[in-house]
Amino acid sequence: MAATVAIAEFNGAGETKTASITNSNMGSTDAVNLVVATYPIVPGENSYEKWQKIEVTNIGGSTAIQNLKVWRTTALGGSAVHVTNARTSAYGGAETYAQPVATDSTVADQTMPTSEPASANLGIGGALAGALTAAGLSDYLVHQIQTDAGDVAGASCTMNYQYDEIA
Amino acid sequence: MYKSRTGQEVELERYMWIAQYNDDSVLMQFNDDDNTFHNFDEIDQSKLKTFRMVNTTDPKVFFDIRFNPETMKLIHFYRNQRLRIGAEDLKIRLYCFGYEKKDSVVLNFILPDGGLVTADDKNFVFNFTVS
C-alpha cells in the first residue's frame, strides 16, 4: 500500500502526543482538536502555539518520504498574522519541544506561506533535504496566530501539506 | 494485492512503470505473474532501453522515455498533496517521472485527470485550487 501519512500534535509539559489529529484549530488553550467556540482568542492576544509533526505511520512498500511542504490557504480574520518556524532557506534545524505558550512565539518567527512553497520548508532529522525511510516523524512544525486588538472575528482556514514518496 | 521484497502488501497504483532492458526483457513495477511489487531502485539503469508509465486500467494510455544510461539518470516518485486538512480533506497524487542530465532535468507529472505536464524543475509548483 502507499505510505500512510498524518499529522501528530504534542501538548502540555509532558510532550503528550496525539496521532492523526482531526483539526488544527488554534485557540486560547494548549490542547489538541480544539472546538474554537470553547476557546476564543481575546483580540490583541495570541493563540497558543501548535507543536505538530508530519508522521509516517506506515511506509508501506515505499522506500522514502521527503520534500515536505506546509502552507495555509484562505485569509485570516482582521489583521491577524500566522507565524511559523517553517522556512525554505536558512532552516534552523529541528526544534526541541517546549510547552506551547500564548506569548509571542520565539520559535515561530516566519510568516506561514499562503501558497505552495517553491521548495521544502519543513525538515526531517534537522534538514530540509532529510528523508524518512521507515515509520517516523518530521521535525516540529510550530505555528501560532497573533491577533490585533481591532480583530472582531476569526476565520476558517485550512492547512495543506505535500510530501514526495519514493516507491 | 502485491508483495514487496520486504513482504509489505502494496496496492496497484493508477499508473505503474515498466522497465524494458536492452535485451528486451522487462521489469514491471507490479507483476501479475507472481504478484510481486518492485521498487524503483531495483531497476538496473545501466541496461535500460525504455521506461514506460502505463495506465493500469487503460493500458492504451502510456508514456515512454527512450533512455540513454550514458547521459541520463532516471527519476520516479509520487508527489502527494493533502489539501484542506481539517475541512474536507482532499488527497492529490501526482505520478512523477523523468530524468536528470548533467545540467538539466526533465520531469513529467501525470495529473489526476490524466493530463501530462512536463517541466524542467523538480519543484514545479502547481498551486491547485479547490472550490
Side-chain angles (χ1 to χ4, degrees):
Chain A
M1 60 182 176
T4 306
V5 180
I7 303 292
E9 183 167 314
F10 298 77
N11 304 92
E15 198 176 8
T16 303
K17 176 188 173 188
T18 302
S20 300
I21 62 174
T22 57
N23 72 58
S24 189
N25 291 337
M26 322 276 282
S28 56
T29 191
D30 170 28
V32 68
N33 297 329
L34 284 183
V35 175
V36 291
T38 307
Y39 299 102
I41 304 167
V42 173
E45 296 186 2
N46 305 328
S47 74
Y48 272 79
E49 295 169 319
K50 286 288 185 184
W51 285 71
Q52 297 168 337
K53 293 187 176 185
I54 292 176
E55 181 174 22
V56 176
T57 56
N58 190 333
I59 196 101
S62 299
T63 56
I65 299 295
Q66 60 193 35
N67 194 24
L68 303 182
K69 298 182 181 180
V70 181
W71 70 99
R72 185 199 83 247
T73 46
T74 320
L76 299 171
S79 302
V81 297
H82 189 184
V83 294
T84 180
N85 67 320
R87 57 197 300 170
T88 59
S89 62
Y91 186 64
E95 294 294 341
T96 301
Y97 182 76
Q99 184 171 3
V101 298
T103 50
D104 286 357
S105 178
T106 58
V107 173
D109 57 4
Q110 304 293 302
T111 301
M112 178 67 77
T114 53
S115 62
E116 182 186 337
S119 58
N121 65 346
L122 180 63
I124 297 170
L128 294 176
L132 287 165
T133 57
L137 296 153
S138 70
D139 294 346
Y140 270 112
L141 168 68
V142 184
H143 55 127
Q144 182 185 56
I145 299 292
Q146 297 176 346
T147 71
D148 181 85
D151 293 342
V152 296
S156 181
C157 304
T158 49
M159 294 298 295
N160 312 282
Y161 64 91
Q162 176 181 289
Y163 58 93
D164 289 348
E165 179 178 353
I166 312 299
Chain B
M1 199 69 78
Y2 300 80
K3 276 274 178 71
S4 74
R5 61 191 172 190
T6 58
Q8 283 273 2
E9 290 193 331
V10 184
E11 285 182 0
L12 184 65
E13 291 281 348
R14 193 162 61 93
Y15 279 82
M16 60 175 273
W17 54 256
I18 299 175
Q20 182 187 33
Y21 293 122
N22 291 322
D23 63 1
D24 288 334
S25 63
V26 296
L27 180 69
M28 303 174 72
Q29 185 180 22
F30 296 90
N31 189 330
D32 284 333
D33 291 340
D34 55 10
N35 287 335
T36 53
F37 165 81
H38 293 277
N39 290 101
F40 178 68
D41 61 12
E42 295 180 55
I43 298 174
D44 184 347
Q45 294 190 33
S46 70
K47 301 175 183 174
L48 185 63
K49 179 167 71 174
T50 302
F51 181 82
R52 171 169 292 186
M53 291 292 290
V54 60
N55 186 308
T56 55
T57 56
D58 184 1
K60 296 190 303 296
V61 178
F62 63 87
F63 308 99
D64 279 357
I65 293 176
R66 295 289 295 191
F67 193 75
N68 182 347
E70 294 184 8
T71 60
M72 295 176 176
K73 180 182 174 185
L74 196 63
I75 302 170
H76 173 271
F77 60 92
Y78 308 122
R79 179 153 289 170
N80 300 280
Q81 289 204 349
R82 298 283 298 276
L83 306 180
R84 299 179 16 174
I85 303 301
E88 295 156 30
D89 192 358
L90 179 64
K91 299 178 186 179
I92 295 176
R93 190 170 178 85
L94 306 178
Y95 294 81
C96 311
F97 67 101
Y99 56 88
E100 283 181 87
K101 288 192 155 188
K102 184 181 173 187
D103 298 314
S104 63
V105 64
V106 176
L107 195 56
N108 300 292
F109 301 84
I110 303 176
L111 306 184
D113 64 0
L116 182 78
V117 172
T118 301
D120 63 354
D121 180 3
K122 277 185 179 179
N123 276 311
F124 183 78
V125 171
F126 283 91
N127 272 323
F128 290 112
T129 56
V130 183
S131 57

